[in-house]
């Protein structure tokens, strides 16, 4: 879907890596949440608590997931990250993403 | 308010200046809309259609409004931009904003 309806959005941005990565938190009526974020080129490591589904909406990057080799991901593709782990992205072009926190 | 409830958010980001400025569009039940955006340091000129209220949520910048001198604006402050005009911002630190489109 191209938009989310009946959601709550937190006004202030989440800011990482000096602003090279920023996101907005949205919450759904069922208690689930997602972030919509934007990344400038660079290398970023993030830790997870809940498992995450990372949908790349636009852009090109390489991702290193736990126990895997580097893989290329581009707009329209997605990857899953396990709970309580870490993953590293080498962002090649400005990249738009939607991160869903799974239970 | 720190969050907006019962809104629609467009999934894809609006991207300007090679991604140095990005924003998300949110729409309210009354038909009004806002963008929540993030700007990296740089100089940016934007054109307006509707009049805009620009609330700076965090960061420091200088703004040149139509018919005015450069003025400094920081997190917690805001400014209005007339319809069908242009304004220029010199963004000094990564800056978070909420732009309301007025009628």
């Amino acid at each position: 879907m191209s938009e989310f309806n009946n959601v709550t959005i937190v006004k202030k941005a989440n800011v990482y890596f000096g602003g090279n990565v920023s996101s907005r938190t949205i919450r759904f009526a069922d208690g689930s949440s997602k972030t919509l974020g934007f990344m400038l080129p660079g290398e970023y490591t993030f830790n997870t608590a809940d498992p995450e589904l990372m949908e790349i909406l636009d852009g090109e990057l390489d991702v290193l997931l736990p126990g895997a080799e580097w893989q290329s991901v581009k707009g329209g593709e997605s990857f899953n990250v396990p709970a309580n782990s870490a993953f590293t992205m080498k962002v090649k072009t400005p990249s738009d993403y939607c991160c869903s926190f799974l239970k």
Side-chain angles (χ1 to χ4, degrees), chain A:
Chain A
M1 74 196 77
S2 65
E3 52 188 45
F4 299 116
N5 299 307
N6 286 317
V7 298
T8 292
I9 182 164
V10 178
K11 196 170 179 184
K12 281 208 170 192
N14 310 306
V15 182
Y16 308 97
F17 302 102
N20 284 334
V21 180
S22 63
S23 73
R24 307 279 168 178
T25 299
I26 59 179
R27 293 200 308 268
F28 293 77
D30 67 0
S32 66
S33 66
K34 300 182 193 293
T35 55
L36 290 171
F38 200 82
M39 304 184 284
L40 276 295
E43 181 168 332
Y44 313 111
T45 296
F46 284 97
N47 297 309
T48 66
D50 291 329
E52 296 178 8
L53 168 64
M54 277 285 286
E55 295 172 73
I56 306 304
L57 306 176
D58 197 23
E60 292 180 27
L61 56 91
D62 293 335
V63 63
L64 183 63
L65 292 165
E69 306 279 313
W70 282 98
Q71 55 184 299
S72 295
V73 186
K74 64 180 191 300
E77 299 177 342
S78 62
F79 57 88
N80 281 274
V81 190
N84 303 308
S85 64
F87 65 109
T88 299
M89 291 178 287
K90 285 181 188 164
V91 176
K92 296 171 172 179
T93 67
S95 294
D96 190 15
Y97 70 85
C98 177
C99 178
S100 299
F101 300 96
L102 311 175
K103 297 290 177 186

